[in-house]
Amino acid sequence: MIQPPPQHWSAAAASCQQYGHAYVLITVLTVHGSAPRPAGSKMLVTSNEQVDTIGGGHLEYAAIAQARQLLQANIAVQRIEKYPLGPSLGQCCGGRVSLLYECFASAAATVAVFGAGHVGRALVGILAQLPVQVRWLDSRVDEFPDVIPSNVQGIVAEQPENEVATLPAATFVVVMSHQHPLDYAVVKAVLDRGDAAYLGVIGSLTKARRFRMRLAHQGYCQEHIDFIQCPIGNSSVPGKRPMEVAVSVAAELIAHYHHCRARLIPPAAPHLAELSNEH
């Protein structure tokens, strides 16, 4: 069997950028004496994989460990580290290298879609092409397609509302299941957590009024009730076909997550000279 060629770091970086994954790009900045790879060699590291190499051995293991520490902070930062290969890393090369770490923080919002019906499938097809991470939930295993995009996690749950507790904070939640009682249960679970970035529910004005009346009767405050977007979608996008509804919902989601991102001020990356460490 012919094996596919190994992925190049540049292709991995393009994929991470497309889907908003955090990653660290490691570059051999300078080389003095003997070293495994020449200056300019690069390797990309994510939370669970590495692409390309800076030469292997203890240097590469140390570089991967350093990159994973940077990824845990999820902050855009640059850092130079210097490594004497013989004394500290036990490599026979005996030279010295400096590595540039460029950490690209995750830019992906998390969208939870409850429901794998016609509209849910159309919506996830759109979201799969955006820099978001999607959690797609339904109790019906047969509703999911055979192939699910890489930035989509299909979750089969007997009681999908219980999965609300597992969502990351600031998740954008879209509720479009096949049952009104299930929609209501998910809405209550999201409101009880109180940390969603968005909560949209598919349905008519009549459904919206019933949900709001029930929530008020059960003691939810008006601020929480008003947080619910129902009917869901951008009113400027007409049509009732599944794809038309999905486009309308996607337009509303895109507007919301760009608004939320604009409110966040990213931390300034320290100057390289400030982060350079001598080992």
Side-chain angles (χ1 to χ4, degrees):
M1 179 182 295
I2 298 176
Q3 296 294 325
Q7 189 178 23
H8 192 265
W9 68 264
S10 59
S15 177
C16 288
Q17 289 285 354
Q18 178 181 0
Y19 294 114
H21 298 318
Y23 68 98
V24 175
L25 185 62
I26 304 172
T27 304
V28 179
L29 203 58
T30 62
V31 173
H32 299 282
S34 179
R37 294 291 300 275
S41 301
K42 295 179 184 291
M43 178 175 68
L44 183 142
V45 178
T46 69
S47 61
N48 58 4
E49 65 177 342
Q50 54 269 356
V51 178
D52 259 331
T53 180
I54 56 171
H58 292 293
L59 172 64
E60 186 159 298
Y61 292 140
I64 292 171
Q66 177 65 59
R68 296 262 161 81
Q69 287 184 6
L70 294 173
L71 287 170
Q72 288 180 356
N74 197 37
I75 296 174
V77 68
Q78 295 177 320
R79 173 172 296 176
I80 293 175
E81 299 280 0
K82 298 181 180 180
Y83 299 88
L85 298 179
S88 63
L89 295 176
Q91 295 196 202
C92 61
C93 302
R96 290 181 293 117
V97 302
S98 59
L99 301 181
L100 168 63
Y101 296 84
E102 297 175 273
C103 184
F104 296 83
S106 171
T110 298
V111 180
V113 178
F114 287 83
H118 296 300
V119 178
R121 288 194 294 272
L123 176 61
V124 169
I126 298 172
L127 297 177
Q129 303 174 65
L130 298 174
V132 297
Q133 294 295 307
V134 182
R135 295 198 185 184
W136 193 11
L137 305 101
D138 204 299
S139 60
R140 305 164 296 169
V141 64
D142 293 337
E143 293 296 319
F144 290 96
D146 294 333
V147 178
I148 293 179
S150 61
N151 62 328
V152 178
Q153 179 185 8
I155 301 172
V156 179
E158 186 174 344
Q159 294 181 292
E161 67 272 22
N162 292 341
E163 298 299 314
V164 170
T166 70
L167 299 177
T171 293
F172 294 78
V173 181
V174 181
V175 185
M176 47 179 57
S177 80
H178 60 296
Q179 296 178 335
H180 286 196
L182 176 54
D183 284 354
Y184 187 75
V186 173
V187 167
K188 283 192 60 180
V190 172
L191 293 180
D192 288 343
R193 270 199 57 167
D195 61 357
Y198 167 90
L199 174 56
V201 184
I202 198 168
S204 63
L205 288 170
T206 300
K207 177 180 178 178
R209 283 194 295 268
R210 289 175 178 171
F211 272 31
R212 291 187 171 100
M213 288 177 61
R214 288 182 64 186
L215 290 167
H217 181 72
Q218 293 182 346
Y220 288 85
C221 68
Q222 193 61 43
E223 181 181 2
H224 289 170
I225 295 172
D226 290 342
F227 181 68
I228 303 167
Q229 300 290 320
C230 185
I232 192 174
N234 188 319
S235 59
S236 66
V237 181
K240 295 185 178 181
R241 296 182 180 89
M243 182 53 71
E244 292 171 335
V245 176
V247 168
S248 172
V249 174
E252 184 166 289
L253 279 171
I254 291 168
H256 273 79
Y257 80 63
H258 276 290
H259 175 70
C260 289
R261 186 178 298 172
R263 291 165 55 194
L264 300 176
I265 302 175
H271 191 272
L272 288 178
E274 299 173 4
L275 294 170
S276 177
N277 292 322
E278 189 74 31
H279 287 266

